[in-house]
Amino acid sequence: MFLLCVKMRLFTALLLAVLALAGRTVVSAHPLESTRTTEIDTCSLAANAPPNCFPAIGFTMPSAVPKSLTNWWCDPSTEYAFVGVSYEVTECQSLNKLRAEFLDIRTRFKGRYVRLYGACDREGFYNDVIDAAWRAGVGVHALIWFGFDGTDEWIGRRDTLFGILHSNPKAKFVTRVVQFGSEPLFDQVLTPDQLIKQVNDAKKNLSSVHIPVTVSDMAYSFRDLHADDDGPAVLQAIDYIDAHILPFFSTQASTANNAWPIVLSDLKYFISQADGKKIWFSQNGWPSKTSSGVQPNSPSAVANVQNEKDYFNVLDKHCADLKAVPGGGVGWFAHIYSDNQEPGYGIYGTNGVLKFPFAPRTSC
């Protein structure tokens, strides 16, 4: 953009010079001159245009894979407010379904990212994710899924993912970050020290493809559950902060319209530990109904469609507050794409119809 503005200013200067030599009256366009001008500052207009970076809204995917990541990813400061949708993959969706639903996230909701949730162990599945993301023009927050049963399948998932991130030429151009999760500290699948080692090993492994590494978990896990055994040290090891913001489960929960103080309490903790790192609300929402795995810790907490909608409206109302957070503002995901993926949290119901109008702010 800078070079474009320089070229346009040089062209303007040359044009003025030609007109002057021809004896034409020239009105100065320099901002320090007292003479009024009607010239449009094209560089100012360009500065307000959508950024020419991936995966900005309005960005056009190239016809071929770039040779370098230089100037590819958008600056974190532009990636605040609503950025995308969590997408559960236990179904092991077909390539065609991934393509269709990633494109829907991009075009219908103006999502810039898809955050994976759950695991699909089908051979080559993440290659399909990359294909779908490239076609739709969305970035991916990849996930190493630990599950809830304490088994070691996550090791094979980690190795398979890393292999694809190195072998697929498009992988580093759509994979924004790799997450260890979901909630490995809360589920106590690894100790903080063990998790830190995994994070550091992953950062070393992925350094050549320039993919950051994070852990996706709740403030409670770092601040309370593991406060005495290096839980906060995990936040120092990771590249980004992937915060789970689920105020429905707070002992202080009532309705979504009253959720902001709960959100703010966790956010302040993450800011205090982030040291200027980018913060994402990676698993983030309010359920429209309870289920066996979704039960409140407050008798006043209300789960219905209106409250699910109201929660996202609360985040919209605090767009300026989220934008002001150090590290480039907070980018938030809606959890989750469809109730078919996880009951109660979907933007779509099980019938494939939107549960409520969903058009959150992507900037402010």
Side-chain angles (χ1 to χ4, degrees), residues 47-112:
N48 292 324
N52 189 33
C53 56
F54 181 78
I57 298 168
F59 178 74
T60 301
M61 296 296 287
S63 57
V65 179
K67 295 180 179 180
S68 168
L69 284 166
T70 301
N71 297 324
W72 174 253
W73 290 104
C74 291
D75 188 273
S77 65
T78 67
E79 297 182 331
Y80 63 92
F82 171 73
V83 293
V85 177
S86 283
Y87 186 88
E88 216 267 0
V89 297
T90 304
E91 177 189 333
C92 287
Q93 289 90 335
S94 68
L95 174 59
N96 286 339
K97 189 168 186 178
L98 289 171
R99 286 175 174 176
E101 294 186 338
F102 283 19
L103 185 62
D104 183 54
I105 291 169
R106 179 66 167 182
T107 56
R108 188 166 195 172
F109 305 127
K110 296 183 180 179
R112 287 164 276 178

Side-chain angles (χ1 to χ4, degrees), residues 7 23 48 65 110 115 149 171 197-198 220 226 230 254 259 273-274 305 337 340 354:
K7 290 177 181 179
N48 292 324
V65 179
K110 296 183 180 179
R115 181 241 178 188
D149 52 11
K197 183 180 187 307
Q198 287 298 319
Y220 170 81
H226 293 281
D230 287 335
S254 56
Q273 300 294 317
V305 172
Y337 183 70
N340 288 314
L354 286 177

Side-chain angles (χ1 to χ4, degrees), residues 37 73 79 100 117 180 186 206 217 249 260 268 286 341 363:
T37 175
W73 290 104
E79 297 182 331
Y117 183 75
F180 282 98
F186 179 73
L206 299 175
D217 214 319
F249 295 105
W260 180 248
K268 285 181 176 179
W286 190 286
Q341 297 178 354
S363 65

Side-chain angles (χ1 to χ4, degrees), residues 4-40:
L4 175 63
C5 289
V6 169
K7 290 177 181 179
M8 294 183 74
R9 284 175 176 142
L10 286 173
F11 174 79
T12 301
L14 288 171
L15 178 62
L16 291 174
V18 170
L19 290 174
L21 289 173
R24 300 281 297 275
T25 301
V26 180
V27 179
S28 172
H30 196 284
L32 296 182
E33 297 287 346
S34 58
T35 306
R36 291 187 63 189
T37 175
T38 59
E39 181 191 14
I40 298 175

Side-chain angles (χ1 to χ4, degrees), residues 27-28 72 81 97 135 139 175 186 209 271 276 306 326 357 364:
V27 179
S28 172
W72 174 253
K97 189 168 186 178
R135 279 178 170 247
T175 307
F186 179 73
V209 287
I271 292 172
Q306 184 63 49
C364 56

Side-chain angles (χ1 to χ4, degrees), residues 115 138 205 226-227 256 321 329 335:
R115 181 241 178 188
V138 295
N205 182 291
H226 293 281
D321 297 314
H335 190 72

